[in-house]
Amino acid sequence: MQTAITLTHAGMTLRGMEHIPDHSTQERFPAVILFHGFTGTKLEPHRMFLKLSRALEGVGIASVRFDFLGSGESDGNFEEMTLSKEVAEAHSILDYVKGHRRFDPARTSLIGLSMGGAVAGILAGDRPDEIEKLVLLAPAGNIYEIVQHVAGEYLADPEVKVADYGGNLVGRAFAEDLKEMDIFERSKPFSGEVLLIHGTNDATVPAEVSHRYKERVYGPRAEVHFIEGADHTFNSAVWESEMIRLAVSFLQDD
């Protein structure tokens, strides 16, 4: 069952969807929170997150997926977005899931794509005892390096407050916030199982970033799966299907 939901954070409305399996005899379900990427939404390209939620629902796992503030249909403006703000919103979403009458509070897992992967990793590091499993899809632990590469000239001029990135206005505070945050270090406290899925032809977040997560953060408790030829957002039915199969299988296992 798919239902539109809202959540108030810092006086603004986060808009999302929740999926609850249709098993009337079961009172509570394990739940997964999906975090979208930079400039993304709760649907993501080719409705990838909707398909993930439906696949999880099919194996008895509930899920929620919200638009961060300034993205999709949620309140706020994109130029006000920072990674720290999205992490704070993620904490509110986790609180919502933990307090949901149909979700098992002891079985909450996270999926994050790109910058949403960075958010998911940080959230799991901040609240390690409250997360069961973690799935990182092309996680952008290197996002400050990306910003420096694509917006170095903009960052060099302190008078410039926003940059136009394909129609999305990116605020200077976004880059300043990233400069102060060690994403890998913040992610370290999580000690549960981790699955990293990455395309070998990812031109946005190089596949070696998932290696960095395994080597610098998670060690032997992390499994890295590379999808041959896939790009950053798994833009083919074959790549998408493999990603969904791997993620659902990992979350379904006891």
Side-chain angles (χ1 to χ4, degrees):
M1 181 177 65
Q2 178 180 338
T3 307
I5 52 176
T6 60
L7 173 63
T8 301
H9 172 86
M12 292 187 283
T13 300
L14 291 160
R15 294 179 175 85
M17 288 286 177
E18 69 181 18
H19 293 252
I20 300 178
D22 184 20
H23 296 293
S24 57
T25 58
Q26 187 171 336
E27 290 188 3
R28 289 180 177 262
F29 298 92
V32 178
I33 305 170
L34 284 69
F35 295 118
H36 68 74
F38 180 76
T39 74
T41 72
K42 62 183 177 295
L43 274 174
E44 287 295 20
H46 41 94
R47 306 171 84 207
M48 177 169 54
F49 269 16
L50 172 63
K51 295 170 190 174
L52 255 172
S53 286
R54 287 177 175 173
L56 290 166
E57 189 178 346
V59 296
I61 300 174
S63 65
V64 301
R65 45 191 177 85
F66 281 91
D67 293 324
F68 285 119
L69 293 176
S71 294
E73 297 179 307
S74 288
D75 286 357
N77 298 309
F78 192 75
E79 56 264 39
E80 298 163 350
M81 177 275 305
T82 67
L83 180 60
S84 289
K85 287 181 179 179
E86 289 199 352
V87 170
E89 292 156 33
H91 276 279
S92 289
I93 295 168
L94 179 56
D95 290 340
Y96 169 86
V97 169
K98 289 290 184 180
H100 198 292
R101 65 181 182 84
R102 298 300 307 278
F103 301 159
D104 182 348
R107 298 201 61 193
T108 305
S109 297
L110 310 177
I111 296 176
L113 171 66
S114 192
M115 192 168 112
V119 171
I122 292 169
L123 179 63
D126 286 351
R127 296 168 70 170
D129 297 333
E130 298 179 61
I131 305 301
E132 184 178 27
K133 292 183 179 181
L134 183 60
V135 178
L136 302 180
L137 309 175
N142 66 328
I143 193 162
Y144 185 59
E145 297 168 23
I146 297 171
V147 170
Q148 287 180 305
H149 176 70
V150 303
E153 187 175 343
Y154 143 70
L155 292 172
D157 185 353
E159 298 302 313
V160 177
K161 302 304 180 187
V162 294
D164 189 334
Y165 182 77
N168 290 289
L169 296 179
V170 182
R172 185 174 191 82
F174 176 64
E176 297 295 337
D177 177 67
L178 288 174
K179 187 163 58 175
E180 300 301 318
M181 186 179 296
D182 188 331
I183 293 172
F184 294 110
E185 196 64 31
R186 281 280 296 273
S187 303
K188 279 184 178 179
F190 179 66
S191 60
E193 294 179 65
V194 181
L195 174 65
L196 295 123
I197 306 175
H198 218 128
T200 59
N201 284 355
D202 189 335
T204 303
V205 177
E208 65 89 14
V209 175
S210 279
H211 271 309
R212 270 197 251 174
Y213 267 101
K214 179 172 174 64
E215 291 168 4
R216 293 176 53 181
V217 182
Y218 300 120
R221 64 186 181 278
E223 174 188 349
V224 183
H225 187 98
F226 292 109
I227 298 180
E228 187 63 36
D231 58 14
H232 186 54
T233 50
F234 311 99
N235 290 310
S236 88
V238 172
W239 301 334
E240 179 192 69
S241 295
E242 183 174 357
M243 179 275 291
I244 291 174
R245 177 184 61 80
L246 289 164
V248 172
S249 176
F250 174 75
L251 293 167
Q252 190 179 9
D253 291 339
D254 293 327

Coordinates of all heavy atoms in Angstrom, one line a residue, residues 138 197-211 224-234 239 242:
A138 N 26.5 4.2 -5.2 CA 27.4 5.2 -5.7 C 27.5 6.4 -4.7 O 27.3 7.5 -5.0 CB 26.9 5.7 -7.1
I197 N 27.0 -0.5 -3.8 CA 26.8 -0.9 -5.2 C 27.2 0.3 -6.1 O 26.8 1.5 -5.9 CB 25.3 -1.2 -5.5 CG1 24.8 -2.3 -4.5 CG2 25.1 -1.6 -6.9 CD1 23.3 -2.6 -4.6
H198 N 28.0 0.1 -7.1 CA 28.6 1.2 -7.9 C 28.8 0.7 -9.3 O 29.2 -0.4 -9.6 CB 29.9 1.5 -7.3 CG 30.2 3.0 -7.3 ND1 30.6 3.7 -6.2 CD2 30.2 3.9 -8.3 CE1 30.8 5.0 -6.5 NE2 30.5 5.1 -7.8
G199 N 28.5 1.6 -10.3 CA 28.7 1.3 -11.7 C 30.2 1.6 -12.0 O 30.8 2.5 -11.6
T200 N 30.8 0.7 -12.9 CA 32.2 0.9 -13.2 C 32.4 2.1 -14.1 O 33.5 2.5 -14.2 CB 32.7 -0.4 -13.9 OG1 31.9 -0.7 -15.1 CG2 32.6 -1.6 -13.0
N201 N 31.4 2.6 -14.8 CA 31.5 3.7 -15.7 C 30.9 5.0 -15.1 O 30.4 5.8 -15.8 CB 30.9 3.4 -17.1 CG 31.8 2.5 -17.9 OD1 32.9 2.2 -17.5 ND2 31.4 2.1 -19.1
D202 N 30.9 5.1 -13.8 CA 30.3 6.3 -13.1 C 31.2 7.4 -13.3 O 32.3 7.5 -12.8 CB 30.1 6.0 -11.6 CG 29.3 7.0 -10.9 OD1 29.3 8.2 -11.4 OD2 28.8 6.7 -9.8
A203 N 30.8 8.4 -14.1 CA 31.6 9.6 -14.4 C 31.4 10.7 -13.4 O 32.1 11.7 -13.4 CB 31.2 10.1 -15.8
T204 N 30.4 10.6 -12.5 CA 30.1 11.6 -11.4 C 30.8 11.3 -10.1 O 31.6 12.1 -9.6 CB 28.6 11.7 -11.2 OG1 27.9 11.9 -12.4 CG2 28.3 12.7 -10.2
V205 N 30.6 10.1 -9.6 CA 31.4 9.6 -8.4 C 32.2 8.4 -8.8 O 31.6 7.3 -9.1 CB 30.4 9.3 -7.3 CG1 31.2 8.7 -6.1 CG2 29.6 10.5 -6.9
P206 N 33.5 8.5 -9.0 CA 34.2 7.3 -9.5 C 34.0 6.1 -8.6 O 33.8 6.2 -7.4 CB 35.7 7.9 -9.4 CG 35.6 9.3 -9.4 CD 34.3 9.7 -8.7
A207 N 34.1 5.0 -9.2 CA 33.8 3.7 -8.5 C 34.8 3.5 -7.4 O 34.5 2.8 -6.4 CB 33.9 2.5 -9.5
E208 N 36.0 4.1 -7.5 CA 37.0 3.9 -6.4 C 36.5 4.5 -5.1 O 37.0 4.2 -4.0 CB 38.3 4.4 -6.8 CG 38.4 5.9 -7.1 CD 38.8 6.7 -5.8 OE1 39.2 6.1 -4.8 OE2 38.6 7.9 -5.8
V209 N 35.5 5.4 -5.1 CA 35.0 6.0 -3.9 C 34.4 4.9 -3.0 O 34.5 4.9 -1.8 CB 34.0 7.1 -4.1 CG1 33.4 7.7 -2.8 CG2 34.7 8.3 -4.9
S210 N 33.7 3.9 -3.6 CA 33.2 2.8 -2.8 C 34.3 2.0 -2.2 O 34.2 1.5 -1.1 CB 32.3 1.9 -3.7 OG 31.0 2.5 -3.8
H211 N 35.4 1.9 -2.9 CA 36.6 1.2 -2.3 C 37.1 2.0 -1.1 O 37.5 1.4 -0.1 CB 37.7 1.1 -3.3 CG 37.7 -0.1 -4.2 ND1 37.6 -1.4 -3.6 CD2 37.8 -0.3 -5.5 CE1 37.6 -2.3 -4.6 NE2 37.7 -1.7 -5.7
V224 N 31.4 -4.8 -1.5 CA 31.3 -3.9 -2.6 C 30.9 -4.7 -3.9 O 31.6 -5.7 -4.2 CB 32.6 -3.2 -2.9 CG1 32.5 -2.2 -4.0 CG2 33.1 -2.5 -1.6
H225 N 29.9 -4.3 -4.6 CA 29.5 -4.9 -5.8 C 29.5 -3.9 -6.9 O 28.8 -2.9 -6.9 CB 28.1 -5.5 -5.7 CG 27.7 -6.3 -6.9 ND1 27.8 -7.7 -6.9 CD2 27.2 -6.0 -8.1 CE1 27.4 -8.2 -8.1 NE2 27.1 -7.1 -8.8
F226 N 30.3 -4.2 -8.0 CA 30.4 -3.3 -9.1 C 29.5 -3.8 -10.2 O 29.6 -5.0 -10.6 CB 31.8 -3.1 -9.6 CG 32.7 -2.4 -8.6 CD1 33.7 -3.1 -7.9 CD2 32.5 -1.1 -8.4 CE1 34.5 -2.4 -7.0 CE2 33.3 -0.4 -7.5 CZ 34.3 -1.1 -6.8
I227 N 28.7 -3.0 -10.8 CA 27.9 -3.3 -12.0 C 28.6 -2.9 -13.2 O 28.8 -1.7 -13.5 CB 26.5 -2.7 -11.9 CG1 25.8 -3.2 -10.6 CG2 25.7 -3.0 -13.1 CD1 24.4 -2.7 -10.4
E228 N 29.0 -3.8 -14.0 CA 29.9 -3.6 -15.2 C 29.2 -2.7 -16.2 O 28.1 -2.9 -16.6 CB 30.3 -4.9 -15.8 CG 31.3 -4.7 -17.0 CD 32.6 -4.2 -16.4 OE1 33.0 -4.6 -15.3 OE2 33.3 -3.4 -17.2
G229 N 29.9 -1.6 -16.5 CA 29.4 -0.6 -17.5 C 28.4 0.4 -17.0 O 28.1 1.3 -17.8
A230 N 27.9 0.2 -15.8 CA 26.8 1.1 -15.3 C 27.3 2.5 -15.0 O 28.5 2.7 -14.6 CB 26.1 0.5 -14.1
D231 N 26.4 3.5 -15.2 CA 26.8 4.9 -15.0 C 26.3 5.2 -13.5 O 26.0 4.4 -12.7 CB 26.2 5.8 -16.0 CG 24.6 5.7 -16.1 OD1 24.0 5.1 -15.2 OD2 24.1 6.1 -17.1
H232 N 26.2 6.5 -13.3 CA 26.0 7.0 -11.9 C 24.6 6.6 -11.3 O 24.5 6.3 -10.2 CB 26.2 8.5 -11.8 CG 26.1 9.1 -10.4 ND1 26.9 8.6 -9.4 CD2 25.3 10.1 -9.9 CE1 26.6 9.3 -8.3 NE2 25.7 10.1 -8.6
T233 N 23.6 6.7 -12.2 CA 22.2 6.4 -11.7 C 21.6 5.2 -12.4 O 20.4 5.1 -12.5 CB 21.3 7.6 -11.8 OG1 21.4 8.2 -13.2 CG2 21.7 8.7 -10.8
F234 N 22.5 4.3 -12.8 CA 22.0 3.0 -13.3 C 21.0 3.1 -14.4 O 19.9 2.5 -14.4 CB 21.5 2.1 -12.2 CG 22.4 2.1 -11.0 CD1 22.2 2.9 -9.9 CD2 23.6 1.2 -11.0 CE1 23.1 2.9 -8.8 CE2 24.4 1.2 -9.9 CZ 24.2 2.0 -8.8
W239 N 20.9 -2.6 -15.8 CA 21.7 -2.1 -14.6 C 20.8 -1.8 -13.4 O 21.1 -2.2 -12.3 CB 22.4 -0.8 -14.9 CG 23.4 -0.9 -16.0 CD1 24.1 -2.1 -16.4 CD2 23.9 0.1 -16.9 NE1 24.9 -1.8 -17.5 CE2 24.8 -0.4 -17.8 CE3 23.6 1.5 -17.0 CZ2 25.4 0.3 -18.8 CZ3 24.2 2.3 -18.0 CH2 25.1 1.7 -18.9
E242 N 19.6 -5.1 -11.8 CA 20.6 -5.8 -11.0 C 20.8 -5.0 -9.7 O 20.9 -5.7 -8.6 CB 22.0 -5.8 -11.7 CG 23.1 -6.5 -11.0 CD 24.4 -6.7 -11.7 OE1 24.4 -6.3 -12.9 OE2 25.3 -7.3 -11.2

